[in-house]
Amino acid sequence: MTKNAEVAKVLKEISLYLEFEGKEPFKIRAYQRAVRSISSLGEDVASIAERGELTTIAGIGKGIAEVITDYLNDGQVTGLEELRTRVPIKIMELDAIPGVGPKTIKLVYDKLGVIDLESLEAAANEGRLAGLPGLGAKTEAQIKEGIRVARSGLGRTLLANALSVAEDIKKSLNQISGITQIIIAGSVRRRRETIGDIDILVSASDPKAVMDSFVSHRDVSSVTAHGQTKSSVRLTSGIQVDLRILPEDSFGAGLQYFTGNIDHNVHLRSIAQKKGLLLNEYGLFKGEKKVAGGAEADIYSTLGLKLIPPELREDTGEIEAAQSGNLPSLIELKDIRGDLHSHTDQSDGKNTIEEMLDAAQAKGYDYYCVSDHTQSLTISNGMDEARLLKRIEEIDDLNASGRWKMTILKGAEVDILSAGELDIKDEVLAELDFVTVSIHSRMKDDKKTMTDRVCHALESKYVHLLGHPTGRLLLKRPEFEIDIDAVFESARKNKVVMELNAHPQRLDLNAGNLRKATKNGLKIAINTDAHYTTELDNMQFGVFQARRGWLTKNDVINTYPLKKLMSTITK
Ligand SMILES: [Zn+2]
Ligand SMILES: [Zn+2]
């Protein structure tokens, strides 16, 4: 596993302390920039440090490079340790609460002695926040809600993080001889958006060697169990990993047991029971005799079911569909022919348009849409009409140059303003191939205002896609208040496509909304919203989520050949 997440976390903590202490804004911004840049590196920051090239990373100057080196060498940063001693608060835990930032943290620390989530919750429940300068009853209620959101995310991690950790452990275990099977099971295999812990199943001739290697993996911070058939560890990142060794002839049964959620497994066991069989983690039994167990597919087929894709195993209709032969033929990553939402350094992206196009071409795409932000997003250097018109000419030239085999589509991610107006004039929108509209401001609007705003924006005949429709950031920011059914209805009427944003922290729409949208006849676009070339890799997370939402290739417009795509979006 790379050190990137850990280093980004340390830099983030420093930036929070700087803000807490009211230090110079440029210094705080430098750390914030460094956090973003390290989080999206395509390479391990430790390898870059080894080559002495930290300052070649965008946003990393000499000072921050020294901090990173300090941390990589000793596992701590002297200055940060001093700050933690002087102000002993759980600043990262508090900052993770939606609606709480360093300024609030400073206020509640100074006035109420709040040092962590628990003491903040106590203060909020006792109504002590509302009396503080600048904090009314409304803010107190928002903080309470934020605490609830933060609590539900405690101990969870994004699928993308869990998957990379799990793959790394799998790779190192695979070097042990005598391993016949190794599969990452549990909610990672179901591709849930966030993960509580990681389950790895192994079949091996030398279980002891596997367990010894597992508990001594370099990322392990503590070992909670170390046995012959099961071991558990906690990693430095806080994630718990369980490893189980299964006999070869029970591997399929174990895999089934440790993949489906409780509801799916209970339902399956009841089907077994009706057939006079017993299903458990060791196999499917008729009396004493094991009738299936080595292969997962045999468990399902003996129960009269088609093999159910892991992503669906949550008892939301997949068992009935498998019984009647109506399981959907789920979309796969290889079906994707292009990406319809991406940024460049013309707005808040970090790479040039040429670099993004090279990276998209390397994915083998047939088309790629460049969609930078528009003018009201000043913080992201959004484009006004004049710049957009220039961009359109530039893309015509790039297409004509023949340097890229794919078609470059002219797009924009247009801001939806306070009453649902768009911040670019119609005559310029008309020049674009693909127009995305998104909410980036006033995210705390009440439900009716937000719904009216979005529905009004979708009425424009130039709009093709609603970007990240719920605005959530997993483990960080809840969805905004919106009547999603009304939005779907408006989209259907106005022939607007819904985005499944593939960023691992967004992934809106969620699985339930995806099923509802396609049931209502809506089409979906799975887009990375990439701000860096490396973020084009996030497409896989969008496809995982699409599969959880039962989507087939036909539901997703960016699996279509270009001609079909364009005719589908034409109004
Ligand atoms: Zn956006
Ligand atoms: Zn975007």
Side-chain angles (χ1 to χ4, degrees), residues 443-479:
M443 292 193 217
K444 288 188 177 146
D445 272 356
D446 63 57
K447 195 168 182 172
K448 180 164 183 338
T449 310
M450 184 61 95
T451 307
D452 288 350
R453 238 178 115 185
V454 170
C455 291
H456 181 63
L458 301 191
E459 281 161 15
S460 157
K461 67 172 181 178
Y462 301 104
V463 171
H464 301 113
L465 178 80
L466 176 62
H468 42 76
T470 72
R472 69 175 180 176
L473 291 178
L474 291 164
L475 306 180
K476 178 74 189 166
R477 185 173 77 202
E479 302 185 344

Side-chain angles (χ1 to χ4, degrees), residues 341 343 373 377 413 438-440 467-468 501 506 529 531:
H341 180 172
H343 298 267
H373 290 291
L377 218 56
E413 183 179 13
S438 305
I439 294 279
H440 293 116
H468 42 76
N501 193 294
R506 290 189 179 272
D529 196 356
H531 287 68

